Amino acid sequence: MPSPLSPVEMDALLLSLKVAFWAVLCSLPFGVMLAWVLTRLDFPGKSLLDGLLHLPLVLPPVVIGYLLLVALGRNGLIGKMLHEYLGISIAFTWKGAVAASAIMAFPLLVRTVRLSLDAVDTRLEMAARTLGAGSWRVFCTITLPLSIPGIVAGMVLAFARSLGEFGATITFVSNIPGQTQTLPLALYSMTQVPNGEAAAMRLCCIAIVIALLALMGANLLETYFRRHVEG
């Protein structure tokens, strides 16, 4: 049975899923670590760090994409060294789309994990320390298991946000079919060509369905893990 999607639409859908998966996977360890630091530690500059973390939520996505281009482009501050010494190019590749999506979704991931960490009873952590457990063991055996519902919810929300990323992605990696054209970029392209309304509507419906499934899945997984932890 032929696919209802054209090859270009299918490529965009698969690329979006790939980019969102790697964006969440790469940002998860840093998100959990930063959430723990902001929740459990007090240090000079904490408010500044918290503000920098939330910049992607308030800045225009195009600004984030431009900053990525300045930093990681072929002639950028970091991108030039990566290209010259390691032969790695990030701008205008799917890896750049991963970086853009990860940065835009990172605040949502950290905020959700922080809420989960705030709900962990710190008296349990203190009791474990009095019994001789080190900080790393307390984190791995008490803090992390009790915060799993929030971590899972944060991962799903970050995945959904990565699927919908547009502004930073098109600025940093452009809109190249089959290489950097994700689902939102493909939908945008379809609205710019004659007779592209049907394809745009299909992609719009797919984006809505994926987003709804992600949100429903986040709620179900959070409920499951919360009951498991409480049990």
Side-chain angles (χ1 to χ4, degrees), residues 149-166:
I151 293 175
V152 172
M155 289 173 59
V156 179
L157 289 177
F159 182 85
R161 178 63 183 85
S162 297
L163 283 175
E165 168 49 34
F166 176 82

Side-chain angles (χ1 to χ4, degrees), residues 33-86:
M33 178 182 67
L34 185 57
W36 183 86
V37 168
L38 292 173
T39 303
R40 294 291 189 266
L41 302 181
D42 289 318
F43 53 90
K46 181 177 179 179
S47 297
L48 177 61
L49 178 61
D50 195 26
L52 291 174
L53 166 67
H54 289 88
L55 274 182
L57 292 179
V58 295
L59 282 176
V62 175
V63 174
I64 301 297
Y66 176 73
L67 292 176
L68 284 173
L69 195 60
V70 170
L72 299 176
R74 184 69 64 88
N75 295 317
L77 300 174
I78 302 174
K80 186 175 182 179
M81 291 187 293
L82 289 176
H83 179 68
E84 290 181 353
Y85 297 107
L86 301 177

Side-chain angles (χ1 to χ4, degrees), residues 119-179:
V120 175
D121 191 347
T122 55
R123 291 176 298 180
L124 297 175
E125 298 175 340
M126 294 176 61
R129 291 192 182 96
T130 59
L131 294 175
S135 299
W136 179 248
R137 186 175 180 183
V138 170
F139 176 78
C140 292
T141 59
I142 296 178
T143 310
L144 188 61
L146 292 177
S147 59
I148 281 179
I151 293 175
V152 172
M155 289 173 59
V156 179
L157 289 177
F159 182 85
R161 178 63 183 85
S162 297
L163 283 175
E165 168 49 34
F166 176 82
T169 302
I170 197 171
T171 305
F172 183 42
V173 300
S174 190
N175 186 7
I176 307 172
Q179 298 184 40

Side-chain angles (χ1 to χ4, degrees), residues 173-231:
V173 300
S174 190
N175 186 7
I176 307 172
Q179 298 184 40
T180 64
Q181 188 179 73
T182 57
L183 190 63
L185 302 186
L187 195 157
Y188 171 77
S189 297
M190 295 303 176
T191 63
Q192 306 301 309
V193 299
N195 302 319
E197 292 83 3
M201 181 56 68
R202 285 196 299 270
L203 294 177
C204 181
C205 292
I206 291 173
I208 293 173
V209 169
I210 293 176
L212 284 175
L213 289 175
L215 294 174
M216 292 170 60
N219 290 331
L220 291 174
L221 288 172
E222 184 178 5
T223 301
Y224 169 79
F225 281 110
R226 192 175 299 280
R227 289 177 178 175
H228 181 72
V229 169
E230 291 176 353

